[in-house]
Amino acid sequence: MTTLTLYELNNLVRQTLELMLYDEYWIRTEISELHVNRHCYMEFVQKDDGNGLIAKARAQVWANKWFIIKPMFERTTGQSLAAGMQVLVKVQVTFHEMYGYSLNVTDIDPTYTLGDIARRRQEILRTLREEGVETMNKELPLPRLLQRIAVISSATAAGYSDFCNQLHSNKRGLAFNTQLFQATMQGKDVEDSVISALNRIAEQCDEWDIVVIIRGGGSTSDLSGFDSLKLAENVAQFPLPIITGIGHERDDTIIDLISHTRVKTPTAAADFIVHHQEEELNNIEYLANALTHAADKLLLSHSARLSQLAEKIPMLFTAIKTKQETYLQQLLVILNSKSMQRLESQRNKVQMLHTQLGLLTPLTIAKQKHRIELIDSKLQYADPSRILQLGFSITRINGKAIRTSDSINNGDIIETILASGTIKSTVTWKKK
């Protein structure tokens, strides 16, 4: 029986592969891992429709090829090779007795990746369109005054410094209030970092007029973080207008496409804001001049009118005084006539009342005398002494007249008043 060592078997595999797969092959694949240490080491994967792995292979780009492939790819795509990218690469199949199967990358077609990037961008835009948010930020009205500006950038970015210098040193001396909301502006953390900054601004939304997202002073190849659906949704639906100045003049990122206004650089963003304010200042100055001119014209017109009226005032006073004197004289005549008529009428009424009083007085006196005589007769008839003379008496107990037997008890001392004299008695019997 013939036996082989492991090395011999692996060597046989290598020779077989070199014999059978001696050519170079263009393959479509996805980069799942990428590390550079002079040479570039990658892992290629292929996934099924359910996103499950169905193939995987190690790959490497040797330094002599990497120094050619890397800048060519970045110039064409505007991005660096990174994990998650779809690529079309030319490879040689290799096998090493110790390290096993791998692929040597000898060339790359950046137009394939560009197509994939464009496809993913179109998918993001289509999703935003289906969600009805693609143009929401663009439709926000730009405030007439852009003085309170929230800036999302890296604190150390040259673009941020350029923006502030250009904004605050404007020739018209316009004043602006800016605040930096720091964020990572390149690499894999862009999405989460910029969204976090937007959330912080949203918490104090009433304090700002506009948001500026700027990036500059670095490589323009690492822009994949700005082609994120999640970030695009946040920018599209943000309640304040957003200006982007990412600093990439050749291609637009997704957030460039859906932000309110896209400019090329941070300096251009500052120029846009300054120009907007200058236009508003010019409008205000024009309106102020127009208002001053209109006011002067109105004052001149009214001054002339007042002068005309002033000339007429003495004549008006004379006419009014003459009319007042005439009305007063007429009123005095009317009042004098009315007064005499009223006085004569009252005099006649007094004379008539005097006559009537002379006739009524004797009759009234006779009636009242007869009435007094009747009252006196009744008083005499009701006199208690007269009643006693008729044989009646008054019985009292404790000074009070007794009207019923219920008012006294056996043993009570009662007093009886007669026409002549008084009798005291002790009650021994009573009948109701």
Side-chain angles (χ1 to χ4, degrees):
M1 181 179 62
T2 303
T3 60
L4 299 172
T5 65
L6 177 59
Y7 176 82
E8 291 172 335
L9 178 60
N10 284 353
N11 184 263
L12 180 60
V13 171
R14 180 179 61 80
Q15 292 177 13
T16 303
L17 289 175
E18 290 177 352
L19 178 64
M20 300 300 296
L21 301 173
Y22 59 88
D23 204 354
E24 293 182 326
Y25 302 92
W26 284 98
I27 63 169
R28 299 183 304 276
T29 185
E30 177 184 336
I31 301 173
S32 63
E33 293 182 12
L34 186 147
H35 306 284
V36 178
N37 183 11
R38 190 167 176 268
H39 307 291
C40 178
Y41 301 95
M42 295 181 283
E43 181 178 73
F44 293 153
V45 296
Q46 182 177 345
K47 301 174 183 177
D48 60 17
D49 293 338
N51 212 35
L53 287 178
I54 58 174
K56 182 167 65 174
R58 290 184 297 109
Q60 56 277 331
V61 188
W62 303 122
N64 61 331
K65 292 289 187 181
W66 178 245
F67 292 143
I68 298 172
I69 289 175
K70 178 179 182 295
M72 180 269 294
F73 183 85
E74 291 178 354
R75 282 196 305 271
T76 305
T77 65
Q79 299 191 35
S80 297
L81 280 165
M85 281 188 173
Q86 296 288 335
V87 292
L88 178 62
V89 291
K90 182 185 283 190
V91 298
Q92 291 176 327
V93 179
T94 65
F95 189 89
H96 192 277
E97 288 82 355
M98 180 176 294
Y99 301 111
Y101 165 74
S102 67
L103 302 172
N104 280 340
V105 177
T106 60
D107 199 1
I108 188 168
D109 183 357
T111 58
Y112 177 83
T113 304
L114 273 176
D116 182 65
I117 292 172
R119 178 186 56 78
R120 286 191 292 110
R121 285 184 176 180
Q122 289 303 316
E123 288 178 355
I124 292 174
L125 291 174
R126 183 170 58 253
T127 300
L128 295 173
R129 198 174 302 119
E130 291 172 352
E131 293 174 351
V133 302
E134 182 183 16
T135 61
M136 282 183 64
N137 199 259
K138 292 182 180 297
E139 293 169 1
L140 292 175
L142 198 64
R144 296 188 64 180
L145 294 180
L146 298 181
Q147 291 183 304
R148 306 173 302 168
I149 304 166
V151 183
I152 297 177
S153 183
S154 169
T156 59
Y160 174 62
S161 177
D162 293 342
F163 171 82
C164 292
N165 290 335
Q166 189 74 6
L167 187 71
H168 295 296
S169 61
N170 63 86
K171 296 179 180 179
R172 298 289 290 272
L174 300 171
F176 297 95
N177 174 30
T178 61
Q179 180 175 328
L180 174 65
F181 291 82
Q182 189 161 327
T184 300
M185 301 306 288
Q186 65 180 31
K188 60 184 179 60
D189 296 327
V190 167
E191 178 185 83
D192 292 337
S193 185
V194 174
I195 289 174
S196 176
L198 287 171
N199 290 338
R200 295 198 302 275
I201 296 171
E203 290 173 357
Q204 43 184 280
C205 193
D206 293 339
E207 299 181 16
W208 306 107
D209 300 318
I210 199 168
V211 177
V212 176
I213 301 176
I214 52 178
R215 172 188 179 276
S219 172
T220 59
S221 62
D222 193 4
L223 297 174
S224 59
F226 296 100
D227 286 329
S228 152
L229 174 61
K230 186 178 178 182
L231 177 56
E233 288 173 332
N234 276 266
V235 170
Q237 299 177 80
F238 200 75
L240 295 175
I242 294 178
I243 296 177
T244 56
I246 305 299
H248 192 54
E249 299 189 11
R250 183 176 55 188
D251 295 320
D252 291 330
T253 64
I254 288 294
I255 69 167
D256 285 323
L257 297 174
I258 52 88
S259 65
H260 185 281
T261 302
R262 185 263 183 184
V263 294
K264 293 181 178 180
T265 64
T267 301
D271 288 338
F272 174 84
I273 295 170
V274 170
H275 179 68
H276 178 83
Q277 288 302 89
E278 287 177 339
E279 286 188 341
E280 285 301 320
L281 181 59
N282 292 338
N283 288 336
I284 292 172
E285 290 176 346
Y286 171 78
L287 292 174
N289 292 333
L291 182 61
T292 301
H293 177 72
D296 290 342
K297 185 177 180 181
L298 187 63
L299 286 173
L300 183 62
S301 172
H302 282 285
S303 177
R305 177 63 177 162
L306 287 173
S307 297
Q308 294 174 357
L309 292 175
E311 294 174 356
K312 294 180 179 179
I313 286 175
M315 294 185 294
L316 288 173
F317 277 150
T318 301
I320 291 172
K321 185 177 180 180
T322 302
K323 286 186 178 181
Q324 286 180 336
E325 291 175 350
T326 302
Y327 289 154
L328 183 59
Q329 290 175 358
Q330 292 175 352
L331 181 61
L332 288 173
V333 171
I334 292 171
L335 287 175
N336 186 51
S337 174
K338 293 291 185 182
S339 297
M340 295 302 295
Q341 292 177 4
R342 184 70 178 272
L343 183 61
E344 184 64 26
S345 174
Q346 293 300 321
R347 184 183 292 113
N348 293 336
K349 285 184 179 180
V350 169
Q351 183 63 41
M352 184 176 63
L353 289 173
H354 183 268
T355 302
Q356 291 176 350
L357 183 60
L359 296 174
L360 292 174
T361 299
L363 180 61
T364 302
I365 292 174
K367 285 183 178 181
Q368 293 300 322
K369 182 178 180 181
H370 178 68
R371 185 169 176 271
I372 291 171
E373 289 174 351
L374 290 175
I375 292 171
D376 183 63
S377 176
K378 289 180 181 180
L379 289 173
Q380 290 179 5
Y381 183 80
D383 187 0
S385 61
R386 180 178 177 277
I387 294 173
L388 293 175
Q389 290 292 334
L390 293 176
F392 293 98
S393 65
I394 300 174
T395 302
R396 298 189 301 183
I397 181 171
N398 297 325
K400 296 181 180 181
I402 300 171
R403 290 180 175 81
T404 66
S405 60
D406 293 335
S407 302
I408 58 175
N409 297 311
N410 291 338
D412 287 343
I413 297 175
I414 60 176
E415 182 181 43
T416 303
I417 300 172
L418 305 173
S420 178
T422 302
I423 301 173
K424 286 189 177 181
S425 310
T426 298
V427 178
T428 59
W429 179 84
K430 69 176 183 175
K431 181 178 180 183
K432 293 184 180 180

